[in-house]
Amino acid sequence: MAGRNFLFVPGPTNVPDRVLRAMHRAMEDHRSSDFPALAAPVLENLKKIFKTKSGHAVVFPSSGTGAWEASLSNTLSPGNKVLASRFGMFSHLWIDMAQRLGLQVEVIDAEWGEGAPIERYREALVADRSHAFKAVLFTHNETATGVTSDVAAIRRVLNDAGHPALLMVDGVSSIGSIDFRMDEWGVDLAITGSQKGLMLPAGLGIVCASQKALALSESAKLPRAFFDFGDMLKANTTGYFPYTPSLPLLYGLRESIDMLMEEGLENVFARHHRLAQGTRLAIQAWQLELCARSPQWYSNTVSAIMVPPGFNGAEVIDVAYRRYNLSLGAGLARMAGRLFRIGHLGDVNELMLMGAIAGAEMAMRDVGIKVTPGSGVAAAGEYWRSTAAPLARRELPPRAPDSQPAPSPGAKGKATAGAGR
Ligand SMILES: *Cc1c(COP(=O)(O)O)cnc(C)c1O
């Protein structure tokens, strides 16, 4: 097929050219004396993305699922009770993992499309006078249903109840795209992966652990080897890894952190909000419903769009892919066939997203869903026009460092890092 693929699944997300170039390197010796100069600042700078000063970032060569496992296995012991809610495929899978690891999970089931049930967490925690729950599992952004929950609220519930359980938060599809405040919210284990807001290929499972979580890891008895915090921290202290890290992904991560910092995290969050809002207006113009039941839960990284009864969401996705080279996210588990998802996170702008909205509109009409042609595109476009930043001068992107001639002695002018996106 001519032209580019439009990748709008909620992970893996589009990898910016700048990150692709940063990853395009020959392999190096990860035991060399130079290696810590790459690894140590990356581990330190990652903490800014999580908004933590006191936490410790740990990077495993795994996907986000590995970061779930690391969080559970480093801090808990067999038979420990944990409290979790289930309202989508990802919160379900994390619970399933906890059970398979030998934990006793008290599950609060909520409707798929609703956010984490804060008041039911409160009831369970207040009733737990003996503090049997050792951890609370909380999915910040449920990617399967396009629902964002209130982490600050679960922290307040723990504080109000005077409950010492660890707060573990799955931020895989929020961190780096939706505001996340590890220290302020008292998160003990904040979990993400490389292929969502961090705009990288899959392959890194990232956990930020609080001092409380690290202290518990000394007595936690669940078996672990590959995911052991102790081995990792010991090697990280000198800027090394206990086993072979993925060099390209570390170079890519260094670049993507730089990009997020250059744009400014608050601007990144505002961009995601604005893009999501335009998408939601398109969905409204199609007269379709989001899976998310109420605006308080609308996700700024993914919209899950219910198809009308009698239609199959999987067919929309297949037509979009085969006919228009557009990749949309599938409905998972009990949502299979009932919805399709547009991921709007990572390296995305208005017109890229316009491609996804236009393609979804065309594919829906192809399978017989009666949306008005152009309605979604018009609604999103008018919103983005009306909320666009004032026109500013555009600077040429700085030259890539590799293409710069060596400075002649005495030459002035400041060195610039990186090329444009
Ligand atoms: C993507 C995702 C994960 C982890 O998935 P991996 O495929 O293991 O990286 C976990 N939780 C949420 C909310 C996700 O969106």
Side-chain angles (χ1 to χ4, degrees), residues 10-12 62-68 89-91 93-94 139-144 170-174 191-196 202-205 301-302 341 345:
S62 77
S63 77
T65 301
W68 275 345
M89 188 60 173
F90 291 94
S91 43
L93 286 173
W94 198 12
T139 301
H140 186 201
N141 190 77
E142 176 48 86
T143 320
D170 174 342
V172 180
S173 60
S174 59
I191 295 157
T192 195
S194 47
Q195 78 276 25
K196 312 243 169 127
L204 299 177
T301 56
V302 53
R341 295 175 297 156
L345 72 165

Side-chain angles (χ1 to χ4, degrees), residues 307-308 311-315 317 330-340:
V307 294
F311 292 97
N312 183 355
E315 210 189 328
I317 295 165
L332 303 172
R334 75 174 69 162
M335 290 301 167
R338 295 176 58 196
L339 57 76
F340 67 89

Side-chain angles (χ1 to χ4, degrees), residues 274-283 285-286 350 353-354 357-358 361 374-387:
R274 183 165 165 273
L275 292 174
Q277 189 57 25
T279 310
R280 290 190 279 263
L281 289 171
I283 295 158
W286 291 332
E350 295 93 332
L353 201 43
M354 204 61 115
I357 293 170
E361 207 166 274
S375 56
V377 168
E382 288 300 290
Y383 172 74
W384 289 328
R385 276 186 351 94
S386 71
T387 54

Side-chain angles (χ1 to χ4, degrees), residues 271-293:
R271 172 167 55 84
H272 280 80
H273 172 78
R274 183 165 165 273
L275 292 174
Q277 189 57 25
T279 310
R280 290 190 279 263
L281 289 171
I283 295 158
Q284 202 179 70
W286 291 332
Q287 300 185 339
L288 296 179
E289 301 281 333
L290 285 167
C291 179
R293 300 275 174 92

